[in-house]
Amino acid sequence: MITVPFTPTMKVVEAEPMNNRSATPLGHWKDGLCDCCKFGCFHPHLWNAWCFTAVLMGQVLTRMKMNWLGDAALEETEWRSTFRKTLYVAIGYFVLRTAFYVPPATVQFVNGHYEEIFPDVPIWKIIIHKVLILTFAIYVLTVLTKLRRAARAKYSIPEERCLGCEDLCCSLWCTPCTAAQLARQTADYEVQHAQCCTSTGFEPDPSVSAV
């Protein structure tokens, strides 16, 4: 009888970019935080970063094979649905914010002096409006911070400023620029054609971007 030794293997899934078509430098960022216009003022990643930051964040999360909460996906089906879930969160936020819209206060000239006039809106509506804004802001800040930390770990990029909280500071004070830098870090836009509304931010590819 001929026996063949068999050694079982365990598959470990890590958060890693799906685009290995181009060599990404290790130890430093490809470009600076403020190089948003590197590929022109009409590049899809730039417009997403400034107008729909959560959408671009969802695309980069998908490239990094992470889930919509900013954690490493344990299964392929998990990261393939990341963009869709992030998009649902963004759409839900804008719909609810519109439904509970509170007009801003206006300044009017009354009886010889200027007064700030507040809209006649129920207090419960004002509270819901502010809670929606705060909740969505915390979500984007938390996930973007975790995403930036994961990208630095993947590309062996050390912190340069605000040691210990650089990811948080960049995500808080420079949210669109941080999202745009992460998009450029995880893609080669000189080779890969960018798209605004696909799950990865690239041209549709059924083998990697289907959700």
Side-chain angles (χ1 to χ4, degrees), residues 15-17 29 61 64 66 70-72 143-156 167 182:
E16 61 178 11
W29 297 100
L61 285 169
M64 292 284 291
M66 302 173 72
D71 300 317
V143 176
L144 191 61
T145 299
K146 294 165 73 174
L147 176 57
R148 191 178 191 275
R149 185 182 299 121
R152 286 197 307 101
K154 178 63 183 179
Y155 298 108
S156 305
D167 301 315
L182 288 170

Side-chain angles (χ1 to χ4, degrees), residues 97-156:
R97 184 176 175 180
T98 301
F100 294 98
Y101 174 72
V102 176
T106 59
V107 178
Q108 300 180 9
F109 190 75
V110 180
N111 298 327
H113 63 279
Y114 289 97
E115 292 184 2
E116 191 174 21
I117 308 298
F118 292 92
D120 185 15
V121 178
I123 186 64
W124 61 266
K125 190 173 184 179
I126 296 176
I127 293 175
I128 292 178
H129 179 75
K130 292 185 179 299
V131 168
L132 283 172
I133 295 176
L134 180 61
T135 302
F136 186 70
I138 291 176
Y139 166 72
V140 173
L141 174 62
T142 302
V143 176
L144 191 61
T145 299
K146 294 165 73 174
L147 176 57
R148 191 178 191 275
R149 185 182 299 121
R152 286 197 307 101
K154 178 63 183 179
Y155 298 108
S156 305

Side-chain angles (χ1 to χ4, degrees), residues 53 67 74 113 116 158 161 163 166 192:
T53 307
N67 63 26
L74 300 178
H113 63 279
E116 191 174 21
R161 301 176 180 83
L163 301 183
E166 181 183 277
Q192 296 162 288

Side-chain angles (χ1 to χ4, degrees), residues 62-93:
T62 302
R63 298 176 194 174
M64 292 284 291
K65 296 184 179 180
M66 302 173 72
N67 63 26
W68 68 286
L69 295 175
D71 300 317
L74 300 178
E75 299 179 358
E76 181 178 338
T77 55
E78 190 175 5
W79 63 261
R80 285 187 180 275
S81 64
T82 293
F83 176 75
R84 183 176 67 245
K85 291 179 179 179
T86 307
L87 184 62
Y88 287 166
V89 170
I91 293 176
Y93 164 71

Side-chain angles (χ1 to χ4, degrees), residues 19 21 63 186-189 192-195 198 200-204:
N19 59 302
R21 286 175 283 183
R63 298 176 194 174
T186 55
D188 184 356
Y189 286 128
Q192 296 162 288
H193 185 66
Q195 294 285 338
T198 61
T200 59
F202 307 134
E203 288 186 335

